[in-house]
């Protein structure tokens, strides 16, 4: 932090006047001017010394409400500053360091404090609002408090080095339910709610055998057993859904690999994935969130478990792209499987990619494809294969894209 000049405008003027008095006293031989100069310097020294005697602050802690802020949402930051002061201190100005990824003005008036010889440490509480501007984990701080002496001649800035991590989660858009489109999604909230909990209780994991779909791999059971295990087919008809987010960096800007929030295209894709997850879970589907190579991005979420959805959304605050490109092999994950809605979110989408994922709609009751950067006639080919498609960009309205794709089968949403 830039070092602050210790004198105010008034104090700087007093210093200049003292120097002028010394010069004139030597030139004119007026001894009284020398006394005035010494008096001014003594006042400045006393003013500066009082600031170091008056206040000694030891710590600062911050809290956030809510604990995680979403992109585009506001949160209240409350900072508590522990202060020890031997003498009464005048008011000052506080300023907290807020990064560009968190919008907000963090400054205000620091209150005057009375003598604290017997009171010990006192806590000054300040608060301000921040807005989530970019997904990721960001640091707030350090905080500085600038005080002046009672005569306004000198000032001192105290910097508290503590920083607080603030998590900015992806924005979740409220999407309309697929049950509005009768016969398309393969299940309703009413029938699903009556079955919630049955599938999870009767789920049996068995060893993987050749020919089993990779999508049926039970990763948690595999970790316990030390070998691949697959989910045994449930006896109940609990509706299932799958959200696929293509993280292959070849389909995004290179920045998407380095840090969350760096590529606007990847950000709208993440927002689309978590919004679809929220909608489908709310409607009673048991939802899996996977990458195009079959890697689970979150454990299977039971229908209606919105607490788990919130945890996954917060977990996606640090999600980035990865090396590789597995989209052409995605269809193998659904081979021999019939499932409910499948939501595929991709970046660059070529005609060859449309041909590669063409088999998937035959295994889904509602295949929806979001493409951030479609090329050529890729979307048209996807529609011919049975996909309900939408083109989205960072300024797109996801709820309109979702509704249009589900209702008409093709949508080109740009704003």
């Amino acid at each position: 932090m830039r070092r602050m000049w210790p004198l105010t405008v008034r104090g700087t003027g007093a210093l200049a006047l003292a120097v002028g008095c010394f010069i004139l006293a030597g030139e004119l031989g007026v001894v009284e001017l020398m006394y005035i100069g010494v008096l001014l310097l003594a006042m400045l020294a006393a003013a500066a010394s009082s600031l170091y005697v008056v206040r000694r602050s030891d710590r600062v802690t911050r809290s956030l409400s809510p604990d995680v802020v979403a992109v585009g949402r506001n949160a209240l930051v409350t900072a508590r500053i522990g202060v020890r002061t031997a003498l009464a201190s005048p008011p000052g100005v506080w300023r907290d360091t807020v990064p560009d990824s968190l919008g907000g003005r963090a400054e205000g008036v620091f209150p005057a404090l009375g003598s604290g010889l017997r009171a010990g440490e006192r806590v000054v509480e300040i608060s301000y609002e921040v807005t989530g501007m970019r997904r990721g984990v960001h640091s707030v701080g350090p905080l500085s408090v600038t005080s002046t002496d009672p005569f306004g001649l000198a000032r001192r800035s105290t910097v508290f080095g503590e920083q607080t991590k603030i998590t900015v989660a992806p924005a979740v858009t409220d999407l309309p339910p697929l049950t509005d489109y009768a016969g398309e999604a393969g299940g309703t909230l009413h029938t699903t709610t009556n079955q919630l909990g049955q599938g999870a209780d009767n789920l049996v994991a068995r060893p993987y055998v050749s020919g089993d779909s990779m999508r049926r791999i039970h990763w948690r059971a595999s970790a316990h057993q030390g070998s691949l295990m697959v989910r045994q087919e449930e006896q109940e008809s609990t509706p299932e859904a799958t959200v696929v987010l293509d993280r292959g960096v070849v389909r995004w800007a290179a920045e998407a690999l380095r840090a969350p929030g760096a590529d606007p295209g990847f950000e709208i894709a993440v927002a689309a994935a978590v919004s679809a997850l929220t909608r489908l879970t709310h409607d009673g589907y048991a939802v899996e969130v996977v990458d195009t190579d079959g890697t689970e991005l979150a454990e299977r979420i039971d229908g209606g478990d919105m607490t788990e959805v919130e945890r996954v959304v917060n977990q996606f605050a640090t999600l980035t792209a990865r090396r590789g490109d597995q989209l052409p092999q995605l269809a193998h994950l659904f081979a021999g499987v019939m499932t409910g809605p499948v939501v595929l979110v991709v970046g660059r989408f070529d005609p060859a990619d449309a041909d590669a994922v063409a088999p998937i709609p035959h295994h889904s009751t509602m295949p929806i494809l979001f493409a951030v950067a479609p090329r050529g006639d890729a979307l048209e080919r996807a529609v011919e294969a049975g996909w309900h498609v939408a083109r989205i960009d960072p300024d797109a309205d996801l709820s309109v894209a979702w509704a249009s794709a589900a209702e008409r089968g093709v949508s080109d949403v740009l704003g």
Side-chain angles (χ1 to χ4, degrees):
M1 180 176 293
R2 180 176 58 87
R3 185 176 297 275
M4 183 178 296
W5 172 247
L7 300 180
T8 64
V9 174
R10 182 183 301 176
T12 303
L15 178 62
L17 183 58
V19 173
C21 287
F22 289 135
I23 294 174
L24 290 177
E27 294 290 333
L28 303 178
V30 180
V31 179
E32 288 79 2
L33 291 176
M34 182 71 69
Y35 295 152
I36 294 175
V38 172
L39 178 61
L40 289 173
L41 290 181
M43 289 179 57
L44 291 174
S49 299
S50 68
L51 293 176
Y52 288 86
V53 173
V54 165
R55 178 176 296 152
R56 181 172 65 86
S57 303
D58 295 329
R59 60 185 179 84
V60 58
T61 58
R62 299 179 186 83
S63 60
L64 188 70
S65 179
D67 294 335
V68 177
V69 58
V71 173
R73 301 289 185 177
N74 295 333
L76 182 67
V77 178
T78 301
R80 295 174 176 84
I81 308 169
V83 181
R84 295 178 183 272
T85 175
L87 302 175
S89 63
V93 176
W94 64 267
R95 181 176 291 103
D96 210 358
T97 304
V98 178
D100 294 338
S101 51
L102 291 169
R105 183 179 180 183
E107 59 184 20
V109 176
F110 195 84
L113 299 174
S115 174
L117 288 176
R118 296 182 179 179
E121 182 182 75
R122 284 167 293 176
V123 176
V124 176
E125 185 173 287
I126 59 178
S127 61
Y128 58 92
E129 278 194 345
V130 294
T131 303
M133 305 297 292
R134 193 174 71 185
R135 186 174 58 90
V137 179
H138 312 286
S139 297
V140 173
L143 182 142
S144 65
V145 177
T146 302
S147 304
T148 59
D149 69 284
F151 298 103
L153 298 176
R155 59 189 171 193
R156 178 193 178 191
S157 182
T158 303
V159 179
F160 305 92
E162 295 91 340
Q163 293 184 324
T164 301
K165 300 289 186 182
I166 294 181
T167 300
V168 180
V172 176
T173 301
D174 186 15
L175 304 178
L178 287 178
T179 51
D180 288 348
Y181 312 103
E184 294 290 342
T188 65
L189 178 61
H190 175 71
T191 58
T192 302
T193 303
N194 291 336
Q195 301 169 7
L196 287 180
Q198 298 177 13
D201 291 339
N202 294 287
L203 184 63
V204 177
R206 60 170 176 80
Y208 172 86
V209 296
S210 179
D212 284 334
S213 170
M214 294 296 291
R215 182 177 168 272
R216 306 303 300 173
I217 291 179
H218 194 302
W219 295 104
R220 184 160 50 183
S222 299
H224 287 306
Q225 296 294 330
S227 60
L228 288 180
M229 305 290 289
V230 297
R231 294 186 181 90
Q232 186 68 274
E233 294 295 333
E234 295 89 347
Q235 298 300 316
E236 300 82 12
S237 57
T238 303
E240 293 184 343
T242 306
V243 177
V244 183
L245 175 61
D246 185 4
R247 297 167 56 220
V249 71
V250 296
R251 302 184 181 278
W252 309 101
E255 291 77 10
L257 185 65
R258 302 189 188 112
D263 176 20
F266 190 71
E267 293 310 296
I268 190 63
V270 174
V274 296
S275 298
L277 166 65
T278 303
R279 179 74 266 171
L280 293 170
T281 305
H282 182 272
D283 286 348
Y285 290 95
V287 185
E288 290 182 325
V289 186
V290 300
D291 202 340
T292 50
D293 62 354
T295 302
E296 285 188 340
L297 301 181
E299 292 187 358
R300 185 174 185 265
I301 302 175
D302 293 331
D305 190 352
M306 303 311 295
T307 300
E308 184 66 13
V309 169
E310 182 179 356
R311 186 192 69 79
V312 171
V313 172
N314 295 343
Q315 174 185 324
F316 275 29
T318 57
L319 192 70
T320 59
R322 59 164 177 79
R323 301 189 184 280
D325 180 21
Q326 299 297 324
L327 183 61
Q329 288 76 46
L330 178 62
H332 296 300
L333 298 180
F334 296 90
V337 175
M338 189 64 193
T339 186
V342 173
V343 180
L344 172 59
V345 186
V346 300
R348 194 197 72 225
F349 190 64
D350 300 325
D353 300 323
D355 296 337
V357 300
I360 298 177
H362 302 291
H363 302 274
S364 170
T365 59
M366 173 62 83
I368 296 178
L369 188 150
F370 283 151
V372 177
R375 305 286 182 85
D377 63 345
L379 292 186
E380 287 74 11
R381 292 194 185 191
V383 171
E384 292 175 359
W387 286 99
H388 294 242
V389 306
R391 180 162 71 94
I392 58 175
D393 68 10
D395 298 322
D397 187 333
L398 289 177
S399 62
V400 174
W402 175 268
S404 300
E407 183 176 13
R408 296 194 298 271
V410 62
S411 173
D412 189 14
V413 181
L414 298 177

